[in-house]
Amino acid sequence: MYALAARMLGSREDARDAVQDAFERLLDLGERLDEVKEPGAFCLTMIRRICIDRLRRSTAAVTVPIDTHDAPVEPPSGDTDDSARILRAIDRLPVDQAIVIKLRAIEGLDNRQIEAETGFSPDKVRQALCRARRKLKEILQ
Amino acid sequence: MNIINYDIQHLRALIDRYYRGETSPAEEAEIGRLLRSEAGNGKEFADDRRLFDALNVWETPEAPAELGETLRQMVAERFADTESTAKPRRRAHILRWISWAGGAAAAASIAIVLWFSSSKSYEDTLLADADSPADTISLATANKPAETADTTDVEVIRDRIETGEKAVKPEAAPRPHIAATSRPVRSRTRSNGSINPSATTPSAKEPTPEEAAHISQDALMTLGRLLARGNQDINNANEELHQCVNETFRKISIGVSSQGIES
């Protein structure tokens, strides 16, 4: 849950808050938790939706690191410079595009799953992926 | 060579669809494989390769140690809250249940009493409320329904009481109960003239209306006692309550059925 939140939110501090938020919600469920058949998937769905809510609430979807502990999560690809640039670029995308590209890139959700998680229409998901990928490619050029 | 050309064309088509947002995760995995192959090694796909590398490899950050402790505290506090609120909630639930059951029993008893009262005949009520023959006459005049009031009848009876004579109205026989000052025994005769066996030979299983009222009252008293000690033993109270309510309704039903037979 924490890893997913950190990737989605790009901040360890926000990820910690999101996990605590998820635990609060799980505890609120009480005895209804017995009805959950797949706890792992249930928890991941919960943290994913919390992250989406947090990203939507953030006006610019930009996470600025405050200290070293709150350093942005960076993909450790071979080209660290490209990865950092892409990560920062994603955080500067319109929030809907940022959410869609993260759900695809981080979790590997297909378009229908993204529609279900975000409530977006199929066209909106496709357009968000299209625009986000083209912008990110322009950054690397 | 032909295979590589085929792969390059296939890669181009996939990448074209990729930037239109039309590829599936499986197709994107195929793009990644082709970009790392000889077909995708050319300069044409350099930017695409960098983008794929940046997007498809993500760090898996480990949760900080203090987060685990924070969550454990959160769970412990929540369970502490649950423990402290569980009894009051259960107590409130039981008290609410008791209130409901007591209210229902009281309402049933009141209904029985009202039913007993309404089932008395007009004459019974009249005689029960009268202290003297004169009162009886005045009550007869005052309480008797207008459509059945018989002024002549009353005057004849008043003359009988005041003079002590056994005056008999020629047209109609005097109503024998009017002269009585004490409450007569209720008729045990049914409307069709037959004798009610339960009235002539009361059965031990079927209480009289008065006994039925006492049974209901006893049941209410039991409920009251249960309410008083409900705080002392909540766990047992719930079970006892169920039994008590069942017993209450059983007794009330006995009283109602008995009265139904009686009437």
Side-chain angles (χ1 to χ4, degrees):
Chain A
M1 288 172 72
Y2 176 81
L4 174 58
R7 289 175 191 162
M8 286 287 290
L9 300 173
S11 161
R12 296 177 191 273
E13 190 68 29
D14 289 347
R16 190 165 53 190
D17 291 345
V19 171
Q20 290 184 18
D21 194 5
F23 261 71
E24 287 279 355
R25 295 189 189 186
L26 287 171
L27 291 171
D28 286 341
L29 287 175
E31 294 177 354
R32 282 159 54 194
L33 276 176
D34 295 339
E35 301 169 10
V36 177
K37 293 179 180 177
E38 297 181 21
F42 184 80
C43 290
L44 285 181
T45 301
M46 178 172 282
I47 193 73
R48 184 188 304 130
R49 290 179 180 175
I50 288 172
C51 291
I52 290 171
D53 287 344
R54 283 173 170 260
L55 287 172
R56 281 174 171 163
R57 280 202 302 268
S58 63
T59 54
V62 174
T63 305
V64 179
I66 298 172
D67 51 29
T68 54
H69 183 73
D70 198 21
V73 178
E74 296 183 358
S77 72
D79 189 343
T80 309
D81 191 41
D82 279 352
S83 303
R85 287 168 65 192
I86 289 295
L87 192 71
R88 285 195 297 273
I90 289 173
D91 285 339
R92 287 176 174 78
L93 290 171
V95 68
D96 289 349
Q97 292 180 23
I99 289 171
V100 170
I101 198 78
K102 284 183 173 183
L103 289 175
R104 170 59 63 83
I106 294 172
E107 293 211 70
L109 300 188
D110 62 26
N111 287 21
R112 286 190 178 184
Q113 290 171 318
I114 294 173
E115 292 164 26
E117 291 297 321
T118 59
F120 294 160
S121 67
D123 279 346
K124 185 168 184 176
V125 171
R126 187 183 54 75
Q127 285 178 2
L129 284 172
C130 173
R131 290 171 181 168
R133 286 168 175 168
R134 289 181 177 177
K135 282 181 190 174
L136 295 175
K137 185 179 180 183
E138 287 174 6
I139 288 170
L140 294 177
Q141 287 175 339
Chain B
M1 192 65 179
N2 287 335
I3 295 175
I4 293 176
N5 283 338
Y6 171 80
D7 285 346
I8 289 174
Q9 289 179 2
H10 182 51
L11 181 58
R12 282 177 185 153
L14 284 176
I15 285 180
D16 184 53
R17 292 181 58 228
Y18 173 79
Y19 285 110
R20 283 188 275 140
E22 295 175 353
T23 48
S24 68
E27 289 172 325
E28 289 165 18
E30 174 72 2
I31 293 172
R33 187 188 67 77
L34 290 171
L35 285 174
R36 288 188 293 274
S37 70
E38 190 175 351
N41 205 18
K43 199 173 181 181
E44 178 185 357
F45 303 111
D47 291 339
D48 303 317
R49 208 164 40 242
R50 289 167 62 193
L51 179 61
F52 258 76
D53 286 343
L55 278 178
N56 292 292
V57 182
W58 288 78
E59 181 188 5
T60 304
E62 290 186 5
E66 70 268 18
L67 178 59
E69 183 58 32
T70 303
L71 296 178
R72 271 191 290 273
Q73 286 180 359
M74 188 188 301
V75 172
E77 287 172 6
R78 180 61 69 93
F79 276 106
D81 291 345
T82 306
E83 285 293 319
S84 62
T85 57
K87 280 191 173 181
R89 282 180 186 170
R90 183 172 173 80
R91 186 175 299 147
H93 172 74
I94 291 173
L95 289 178
R96 196 164 48 243
W97 223 97
I98 289 172
S99 302
W100 178 88
S109 300
I110 291 170
I112 290 171
V113 171
L114 289 176
W115 191 80
F116 285 165
S117 302
S118 64
S119 68
K120 290 179 181 177
S121 64
Y122 164 73
E123 291 81 5
D124 284 348
T125 306
L126 184 66
L127 290 170
D129 292 341
D131 293 327
S132 67
D135 288 342
T136 303
I137 298 302
S138 61
L139 278 170
T141 309
N143 294 343
K144 193 169 183 179
E147 63 270 20
T148 59
D150 188 344
T151 307
T152 307
D153 216 12
V154 171
E155 287 173 352
V156 169
I157 296 165
R158 188 193 300 275
D159 291 342
R160 285 177 55 203
I161 293 171
E162 289 177 353
T163 61
E165 296 176 358
K166 294 184 179 179
V168 176
K169 188 182 177 184
E171 294 83 3
R175 298 165 74 174
H177 65 274
I178 294 294
T181 56
S182 62
R183 183 173 178 169
V185 177
R186 293 185 63 187
S187 171
R188 298 184 187 277
T189 306
R190 286 178 171 175
S191 56
N192 60 6
S194 63
I195 302 300
N196 181 359
S198 66
T200 52
T201 54
S203 170
K205 294 181 181 178
E206 295 169 350
T208 63
E210 289 79 11
E211 288 172 341
H214 281 300
I215 290 171
S216 299
Q217 190 176 3
D218 289 343
L220 280 175
M221 292 297 291
T222 306
L223 267 179
R225 285 194 294 274
L226 182 61
L227 179 62
R229 67 183 176 91
N231 286 336
Q232 298 174 0
D233 192 353
I234 287 175
N235 290 332
N236 292 335
N238 199 18
E239 186 180 352
E240 291 176 8
L241 173 65
H242 281 282
Q243 294 174 356
C244 179
V245 170
N246 289 337
E247 183 69 9
T248 300
F249 286 121
R250 191 184 68 79
K251 289 177 176 177
I252 289 173
S253 63
I254 289 172
V256 170
S257 61
S258 169
Q259 183 61 25
I261 294 170
E262 176 72 16
S263 65

